[in-house]
């Protein structure tokens, strides 16, 4: 670790920019266009490649479509996106391409509820209350766990939890930058770890659903398809963050002494008020009531969320599909109840205002989705996804690589790409149409491909300057140590990258080797298509 103590900045220049490899990453990433325009360039490149592939006669045997007359697989060739049929699709189905993009409905639905829970103060109060009076020994695992669970709060976890951790550590006589490191590792390094699925699951598995449909047709993603996996990541990351924080990071910083040029007062943690405590209790009861309701609808007499007419493997399909409205309500109802008790939602008009505000925050996502949806659709129209998947699967099958090695390769590639493109959804929208069908042809489920990608993407969040909240972490750190630079922040977080990355790889390999369930009704392997 480059940083030798508070206030040191051995890797940052006088201007505050990175040097060496990290400087190259920062300069290269800053020259990249906005992700929306990245997709525009991807679309233009896709058009050119489709024309070249069509002229060159690129083709593959369809893995599941058999010609009934000959009994042989149908040959699928790459089609030019400038041919008559594809131009007609592009120009006549713009609205359907946009509105039928699976992640769009998933994310907007969940955010209607999550926006209320965030704006009412439920998330931030729950974070503060859960860390009140935590003994010093348990402080780091408590901060790490709450930070990982705070991912459901999206922006609130970064803006509320991380500076709060610094104050908690300072009040306990520990270095505040150590608190920032532990919380940042949990919120961002553990971005895909949680005990319950949330909006990130809806977003990424929605993209996975679209990727499967480009090759295999109708497919519905299970929003809980990574549930057990991300819960295991939470359990695995906790001791890693605990060890790195207390045994590696804290000894480097020692005792905090406020610099004379920027004195920091002992600011007591804002206490949770009586009304807020009452709101938390009522919100917790609301969550239990919703869980009980869904259990009754699934296990009660003549349950509507069980399909008795379906084969055994399909009986729970209605339950899986009902998880989207469940997560909407599990954020919306407790958030509303908490807001009423705490005084942040005085009437129904304020509730509607908060839901509308959540949709306003999604404006950029809507613009990005418009471009991403057209890229995914055009990728399917060109047949390039199928051709690349079949030929890539043949190469991997002949290589003899085990399934865990292929998934680790996906994991590492996603992590490296994260150094240049910060958006998890933007990267997966590009990678999923190739990786997901290709791995499915090798018998690996789309949910397992998604899980491997998530591990690599989140592990490198804490060291890339292109992660949108990385500069904010520097601001939080400089409040306590004004001379703390980008290089010091990167160096401070590097041990977490190594620990979290190795733990994530180990979990991924273990999941494949032991063929553990990823979520309710979802496994690691599929029967290879066409076999």
């Amino acid at each position: 670790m480059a940083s030798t103590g508070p206030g040191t900045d051995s890797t940052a220049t006088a201007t505050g920019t990175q040097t060496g490899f990290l400087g190259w990453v920062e300069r290269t990433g800053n020259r990249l266009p906005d992700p929306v325009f990245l997709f525009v360039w991807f679309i233009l490149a896709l058009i050119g490649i489709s024309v070249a592939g069509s002229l060159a006669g690129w083709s593959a045997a369809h893995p599941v479509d058999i010609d009934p007359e000959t009994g042989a697989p149908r040959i699928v060739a790459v089609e030019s996106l400038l041919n008559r049929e594809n131009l007609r699709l592009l120009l006549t189905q713009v609205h359907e391409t946009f509105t039928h993009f699976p992640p769009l409905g998933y994310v907007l639905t969940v955010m209607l509820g999550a926006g209320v829970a965030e704006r009412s103060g439920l998330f931030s109060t729950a974070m503060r209350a859960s860390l009140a009076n935590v003994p010093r020994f348990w402080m780091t695992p408590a901060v790490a766990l709450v930070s990982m669970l705070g991912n459901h709060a999206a922006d609130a976890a970064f803006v509320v939890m991380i500076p709060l951790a610094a104050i908690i550590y300072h009040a306990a006589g520990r270095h505040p930058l150590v608190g920032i490191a532990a919380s940042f590792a949990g919120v961002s390094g553990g971005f895909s770890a949680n005990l319950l699925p949330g909006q990130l699951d809806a977003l990424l598995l929605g993209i996975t659903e679209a990727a499967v449909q480009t090759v295999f047709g109708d497919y519905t993603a299970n929003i809980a398809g990574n549930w057990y996996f991300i819960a295991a990541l939470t359990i695995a990351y906790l001791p890693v963050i605990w060890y790195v924080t207390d045994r590696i990071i804290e000894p480097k910083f020692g005792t905090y002494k406020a610099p004379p040029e920027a004195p920091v007062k002992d600011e007591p943690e804002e206490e949770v008020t009586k009304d807020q405590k009452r709101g938390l209790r009522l919100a917790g009861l609301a969550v239990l009531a919703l869980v009980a309701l869904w259990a009754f609808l699934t296990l009660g007499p003549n349950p509507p969320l069980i399909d008795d007419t379906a084969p055994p493997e399909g009986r729970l399909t209605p339950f899986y599909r009902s998880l989207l409205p469940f997560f909407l309500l599990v954020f919306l109802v407790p958030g509303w109840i908490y807001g009423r008790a705490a005084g942040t939602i005085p009437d129904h008009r304020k509730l509607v205002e908060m839901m509308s505000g959540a949709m306003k925050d999604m404006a950029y996502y809507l613009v990005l989705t418009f471009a991403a949806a057209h890229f995914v659709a055009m990728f399917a129209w060109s047949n390039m996804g199928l051709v690349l998947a079949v030929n890539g699967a043949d190469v991997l099958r002949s290589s003899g690589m085990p399934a865990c090695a292929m998934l680790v390769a996906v994991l590492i590639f996603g992590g490296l790409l994260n150094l240049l493109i910060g958006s998890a959804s933007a990267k997966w929208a590009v990678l999923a149409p190739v990786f997901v069908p290709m791995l499915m042809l090798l018998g690996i489920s789309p949910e397992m491909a998604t899980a491997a990608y998530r591990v690599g993407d989140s592990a490198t969040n804490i060291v890339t300057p292109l992660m949108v909240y990385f500069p904010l972490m520097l601001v939080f750190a400089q409040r306590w140590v004004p001379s703390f630079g980008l290089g010091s922040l990167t160096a401070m977080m590097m041990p977490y990258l190594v620990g979290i990355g190795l733990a994530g790889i180990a979990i991924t390999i273990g999941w494949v080797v032991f063929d553990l369930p990823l979520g309710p009704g979802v496994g690691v392997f599929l029967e290879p298509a066409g076999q």
Side-chain angles (χ1 to χ4, degrees), residues 170-207:
H170 183 224
R174 304 176 69 175
H175 202 292
L177 293 190
V178 177
I180 288 177
S183 185
F184 188 30
V187 172
S188 195
F191 189 60
S192 285
N194 217 301
L195 296 180
L196 289 172
Q199 51 190 305
L200 182 64
D201 296 80
L203 174 59
L204 294 182
L205 288 167
I207 294 173

Side-chain angles (χ1 to χ4, degrees), residues 271-296:
E271 293 190 6
V272 179
T273 67
K274 181 179 178 181
D275 288 341
Q276 289 172 336
K277 290 180 181 178
R278 177 172 171 269
L280 285 178
R281 288 195 298 270
L282 294 175
L285 292 174
V287 171
L288 293 177
L290 286 169
V291 171
L293 173 61
W294 246 253
F296 177 78

Side-chain angles (χ1 to χ4, degrees), residues 237 410-412 414-416 418 451-461:
Y237 288 169
V410 171
L411 184 158
I412 293 174
L416 293 175
N418 192 40
Y453 164 77
R454 295 174 68 169
V455 172
D457 172 73
S458 62
T460 51
N461 275 338

Side-chain angles (χ1 to χ4, degrees), residues 71-119:
R74 183 171 61 88
I75 301 300
V76 178
V78 170
E79 293 189 9
S80 169
L81 288 170
L82 297 181
N83 66 23
R84 184 169 180 264
E85 291 76 13
N86 283 332
L87 281 175
R88 181 188 297 126
L89 284 173
L90 177 63
L91 298 175
T92 61
Q93 296 189 14
V94 172
H95 61 295
E96 293 183 4
T97 301
F98 178 39
T99 58
H100 291 184
F101 191 51
L104 183 63
Y106 290 158
V107 174
L108 294 183
T109 300
V110 174
M111 281 304 298
L112 279 172
V116 172
E118 178 183 351
R119 284 167 171 76

Side-chain angles (χ1 to χ4, degrees), residues 166-167 170-171 176 256 258-259 262-269 479-480:
I167 295 174
H170 183 224
Y256 174 72
V264 180
K265 299 179 180 179
D266 289 330
E267 298 181 14
E269 178 186 352
R479 175 186 177 276
W480 302 92

Side-chain angles (χ1 to χ4, degrees), residues 463-474:
V463 297
T464 171
L466 299 181
M467 200 276 291
V468 65
Y469 286 106
F470 196 84
L472 182 62
M473 298 307 104
L474 187 62

Side-chain angles (χ1 to χ4, degrees), residues 218-233:
D218 187 43
Y219 171 80
T220 301
N222 176 1
I223 192 176
N226 284 167
W227 187 349
Y228 304 157
F229 185 85
I230 63 175
L233 289 181

